[in-house]
Amino acid sequence: MAFRLGIDTGGTYTDAVLVDDQQQVVATYKSLTTRYDLTIGIDNALSGLPAEMMTDITLVSLSTTLTTNSVVEGQGAPVCVLLPGYNERQIAQSGLLDIVTDEGAVLLTGGHDANGDESEPLDEAAARNAILALKDKVSAFAISAMFGTRNTSHEVRLRTLVEELTGKPVACGHELASSLGAPQRALTAVLNARMVPYIQRLISSVKEILSHHQIVAPLMIVKGDGSLVNTDTALQQPVATVLSGPAASVVGACALSGLKNTIVADMGGTTTDIAIVSNGQPELCSEGARVGDWQPMVEAVRVYSVGLGGDSEIHYSTAEGIGIGPRRVVPMCLLGHQYPWVLERLEHQLNDYPNARNNRFVMRLEANEVLLNQLGEHERYAWERLADGPIELEAAVMEDRNLGRSLAKLQRAGLAIYSGFTPSDVAHVLGLSKHWSTDTANLAAKVWAKQLRNLYGMGKWELGDAKEPCREVYQLIVTKISTTLVEAGLHQAGKLSEARAQNLAGLLTELIFNSEQEPGAGALFNLDFAADYPLVAVGAPSASYYPVVADMLGTELILPEHGNVANAVGAVMGSVVQRAKVTISQPTYGAFSLYHKGEPKRFSNLQEAEHCAEQIVREEALKAALAAGAASVEVVISKEENHITHDIDGDLFLDSEVIATATGRPDCRALVLNAKGDSETSVDISHDVGTDLASASDASSRYNIH
């Protein structure tokens, strides 16, 4: 029997699953993600699967939350963005300077107008100087020209310059988004460039481990819309894998539950991701998916992603008192599980006077060569010290203040990570989880509670009590999850702005809680939440929190079998989907412009423009789908038009977008070695992975709670 191998590389765990031809999960394994060397965690996950099943793999598909997490946490490789035709106001509006240095945001003369005509000639000399000055300081380049979607010539010329002068990865705005909105398109290009090293490392690691396990099969990656692409396409547009993990979890949750109408909530290590599925289809957000504080122009499953996961730091917040996330830290229970000597140091911290560095140990996280090459003497020394294992931050400060400051700099640069008190620790203290060190979690809770009382005057917990502060934090987490679910429901209604939905969600959550706790008590409001949409909760921490969430909201809960590896299951359930879009506008009455690469095409007849557009998008979508790894591709053409009613001219065409959607199953033709291993034969072992997810799980296992 042939199997498909799904792999999900998350911030905390790397999961591996095997799915058979009947869409049944036949084996699963979880291993800790090793961010400093991804191959270790991936190898451990694959080694945990039955060896006899690993000899006949027809497809390997990968989902990841690493790109999502990097956006939410504000991490990423250093990049330079070249901006022909932009001005200072647009840079400030885009938020680029929050993720790119002042030096790295390069304004250039150039750009085009709304009709695709050149506004000013491109200043190639200034561009060349900027590229040469920054090439050794950045990992990649991003390019976004004013009205670059109406005329791509300046972006294309700059990409050629970057490739000639540096050989480093380049992300162009016109290749990532077809919509107008220059600041958001520039942000999309920058996020894409920042993610290139993450995806390169991940793909390289997976390929190395597949070779080690002698698995020869096509390798696909889940995009943010739940579809699949091959590795070459993913390397060109890694920003498309933002929300890869959440999209895969939605597909996997639907497959495992067999439901067509549901709310999917995936609680991972860094984020909680919520999506609403109606009639078997998750809603897509064509205007761009919001991830943390950012909204790149990436078509993806509409997911409400907040920085709340099992590894989210629980900390003092001036606004909330006790804050949860969005920063990810290593849970103390995991740290103590891996390094038992931490227990003794926590005992020392508990018996000493508290300070802001309590529960703080520092570990290596990433190994970005560009950043490492820029380290000063003290930071380099701190990096080398971390090779021996975690360093207690307080001990480092007492030993050498330069060492303490250098460790903090490494953490801010994304090269190192802190430990801290987290929801995973809370679950261990309260007996809801026990897979890591409960003793360490108890000590960390006591240290944290003492820190909050003595430093910030919070809490009335008895000294040395771990459970009571954890019960309080647990309730805060449940409330935050519930509020996010309600907010997702308000967004689905589409009646409120984002800010108003956030403000109203807290009030409605409280009213729903009261309705469930005191039904029929004479209240004027009696609210129900998602009466016809069961809540399907997946992800490793979900069993610790969602039973109480569902009870508080009064909604049906399903914790499906294999829900803790739903992302990896969803990774092998999708199809390849590629879209191509062309815009047609009527800048002056009776004149039509078609915008597609380089100079716009001009027409005097709308039908001729549309016919040309359909030919272009059909060819491009088909080509993209085949390049992304599809077989048996079908192409569907759609059109979205904007009209206005004019007093004199009547119905007046403004613009339209012609869209081709190409869909095909993954091409599972793999090169396999013959028995002697001395030649290669191309064998067609493709099969239809299917699109009807409802049949993916046996009804008898849908409602098991594990």
Side-chain angles (χ1 to χ4, degrees):
M1 181 178 290
F3 301 99
R4 282 168 283 146
L5 170 61
I7 304 171
D8 176 70
T9 304
T12 306
Y13 283 112
T14 294
D15 302 333
V17 305
L18 289 174
V19 176
D20 65 17
D21 288 339
Q22 305 304 313
Q23 308 279 52
Q24 298 296 312
V25 176
V26 295
T28 71
Y29 198 81
K30 296 181 76 71
S31 174
L32 286 171
T33 295
T34 47
R35 290 279 290 268
Y36 58 90
D37 185 353
L38 293 173
T39 59
I40 297 173
I42 297 169
D43 188 37
N44 290 340
L46 267 60
S47 297
L49 295 173
E52 66 275 11
M53 294 183 178
M54 301 291 281
T55 59
D56 196 6
I57 303 297
T58 62
L59 176 71
V60 181
S61 191
L62 172 70
S63 74
T64 178
T65 58
L66 294 181
T67 48
T68 307
N69 295 348
S70 71
V71 176
V72 171
E73 297 178 82
Q75 301 292 340
V79 301
C80 166
V81 56
L82 305 173
L83 301 163
Y86 280 70
N87 57 43
E88 297 286 354
R89 180 184 59 81
Q90 290 165 323
I91 297 298
Q93 178 187 348
S94 69
L96 284 174
L97 295 182
D98 291 334
I99 52 177
V100 177
T101 64
D102 291 346
E103 181 186 22
V106 180
L107 297 177
L108 296 169
T109 301
H112 296 82
D113 63 20
N115 294 324
D117 298 321
E118 188 176 72
S119 298
E120 292 182 276
L122 178 65
D123 190 343
E124 291 192 25
R128 180 181 294 270
N129 291 336
I131 293 167
L132 291 173
L134 292 167
K135 68 183 182 69
D136 295 327
K137 300 180 181 180
V138 299
S139 297
F141 286 79
I143 301 169
S144 181
M146 185 58 57
F147 286 104
T149 57
R150 295 291 169 91
N151 190 323
T152 64
S153 58
H154 286 183
E155 291 191 8
V156 171
R157 177 58 190 142
L158 288 174
R159 178 176 61 194
T160 301
L161 271 178
V162 171
E163 291 172 346
E164 289 176 350
L165 297 173
T166 73
K168 292 193 172 180
V170 189
C172 288
H174 77 270
E175 295 177 328
L176 301 168
S178 61
S179 304
L180 297 179
Q184 191 181 3
R185 192 168 63 254
L187 173 68
T188 304
V190 168
L191 291 175
N192 194 81
R194 278 165 62 92
M195 294 172 193
V196 169
Y198 287 91
I199 293 297
Q200 284 178 332
R201 287 182 59 236
L202 179 59
I203 291 174
S204 175
S205 299
V206 172
K207 287 184 174 180
E208 181 180 336
I209 297 307
L210 292 178
S211 176
H212 172 72
H213 286 267
Q214 297 182 323
I215 296 173
V216 183
L219 175 60
M220 310 291 284
I221 298 181
V222 181
K223 289 169 53 185
D225 62 1
S227 65
L228 305 178
V229 293
N230 58 19
T231 54
D232 290 341
T233 304
L235 285 169
Q236 292 170 6
Q237 297 187 1
V239 73
T241 66
V242 169
L243 297 177
S244 165
S249 75
V250 172
V251 175
C254 290
L256 294 171
S257 68
L259 296 177
K260 289 183 176 292
N261 295 309
T262 181
I263 301 172
V264 175
D266 178 13
M267 188 174 185
T270 308
T271 62
T272 289
D273 307 308
I274 296 167
I276 299 171
V277 180
S278 298
N279 298 319
Q281 296 294 324
E283 183 182 1
L284 297 181
C285 48
S286 56
E287 74 277 10
R290 177 162 291 280
V291 187
D293 295 329
W294 308 104
Q295 190 173 9
M297 286 177 165
V298 177
E299 187 167 70
V301 172
R302 189 178 294 280
V303 171
Y304 305 92
S305 185
V306 295
L308 170 60
D311 301 350
S312 296
E313 180 182 28
I314 302 171
H315 56 92
Y316 171 73
S317 167
T318 55
E320 304 171 281
I322 297 176
I324 306 170
R327 180 163 72 173
R328 173 180 173 264
V329 294
V330 176
M332 297 303 299
C333 53
L334 172 57
L335 186 70
H337 173 75
Q338 294 178 308
Y339 303 96
W341 59 263
V342 167
L343 268 172
E344 181 182 345
R345 297 309 306 162
L346 288 178
E347 289 277 11
H348 177 78
Q349 289 184 14
L350 184 61
N351 294 325
D352 202 357
Y353 193 80
N355 64 61
R357 293 182 290 274
N358 287 157
N359 282 331
R360 280 276 183 268
F361 294 77
V362 191
M363 288 138 282
R364 280 186 176 183
L365 179 62
E366 300 285 357
N368 185 294
E369 291 301 323
V370 172
L371 291 176
L372 290 174
N373 291 336
Q374 297 176 24
L375 295 180
E377 178 184 352
H378 295 300
E379 289 78 21
R380 172 62 66 175
Y381 171 72
W383 175 259
E384 297 299 334
R385 283 280 301 268
L386 288 175
D388 298 327
I391 297 177
E392 183 184 8
L393 188 58
E394 175 66 7
V397 171
M398 298 301 294
E399 172 192 334
D400 178 359
R401 295 196 70 83
N402 280 330
L403 176 59
R405 282 193 291 265
S406 297
L407 289 171
K409 288 181 180 178
L410 292 177
Q411 187 276 331
R412 289 194 296 271
L415 294 169
I417 186 171
Y418 288 149
S419 65
F421 186 55
T422 69
S424 291
D425 296 303
V426 171
H428 276 74
V429 171
L430 298 180
L432 301 171
S433 184
K434 55 184 179 181
H435 50 285
W436 293 330
S437 171
T438 299
D439 290 340
T440 308
N442 273 292
L443 268 177
K446 295 175 183 178
V447 169
W448 176 83
K450 184 177 179 181
Q451 180 190 57
L452 256 65
R453 287 200 62 177
N454 289 38
L455 296 185
Y456 308 113
M458 284 198 61
K460 299 179 180 179
W461 316 297
E462 292 186 13
L463 187 65
D465 181 10
K467 290 191 180 296
E468 190 56 36
C470 284
R471 290 191 189 99
E472 186 170 329
V473 173
Y474 184 89
Q475 188 58 46
L476 287 174
I477 296 169
V478 166
T479 301
K480 189 167 184 176
I481 293 172
S482 302
T483 303
T484 305
L485 286 165
V486 172
E487 187 180 339
L490 292 173
H491 278 297
Q492 186 203 30
K495 303 295 184 182
L496 298 171
S497 67
E498 182 176 328
R500 292 183 65 191
Q502 287 179 343
N503 292 335
L504 187 57
L507 175 60
L508 288 178
T509 303
E510 185 177 345
L511 290 172
I512 293 169
F513 282 1
N514 290 338
S515 297
E516 291 302 319
Q517 292 169 2
E518 302 176 20
L524 296 179
F525 288 97
N526 188 7
L527 301 181
D528 291 324
F529 176 74
D532 299 324
Y533 278 67
L535 175 61
V536 177
V538 295
S542 59
S544 297
Y545 290 95
Y546 277 86
V548 176
V549 169
D551 186 58
M552 298 284 284
L553 291 175
T555 190
E556 180 186 355
L557 173 68
I558 298 173
L559 294 170
E561 185 179 14
H562 306 305
N564 61 338
V565 292
N567 293 35
V569 173
V572 292
M573 294 292 185
S575 297
V576 176
V577 180
Q578 290 286 293
R579 297 176 180 86
K581 302 178 182 179
V582 163
T583 299
I584 300 171
S585 75
Q586 184 176 210
T588 59
Y589 188 77
F592 302 92
S593 295
L594 186 156
Y595 304 103
H596 175 258
K597 295 183 180 178
E599 297 292 333
K601 293 177 171 60
R602 313 293 186 184
F603 297 87
S604 58
N605 181 282
L606 177 59
Q607 286 70 36
E608 291 179 3
E610 289 179 337
H611 179 69
C612 180
E614 288 182 11
Q615 288 182 315
I616 290 172
V617 295
R618 185 184 300 276
E619 181 180 337
E620 285 204 346
L622 176 61
K623 182 179 178 181
L626 293 173
S632 303
V633 179
E634 295 183 0
V635 181
V636 176
I637 304 292
S638 60
K639 185 169 57 176
E640 297 175 0
E641 292 188 350
N642 290 320
H643 293 255
I644 62 170
T645 301
H646 194 272
D647 291 340
I648 299 174
D649 298 317
D651 184 66
L652 186 63
F653 171 86
L654 289 180
D655 57 47
S656 68
E657 193 169 53
V658 181
I659 307 163
T661 302
T663 305
R665 66 180 185 269
D667 188 349
C668 292
R669 288 171 295 180
L671 291 174
V672 295
L673 296 175
N674 69 8
K676 295 182 179 180
D678 56 2
S679 64
E680 294 183 340
T681 306
S682 180
V683 180
D684 189 349
I685 50 177
S686 61
H687 59 276
D688 191 352
V689 300
T691 56
D692 184 6
L693 302 180
S695 63
S697 179
D698 185 274
S700 63
S701 66
R702 289 175 190 166
Y703 304 100
N704 291 343
I705 295 179
H706 295 267

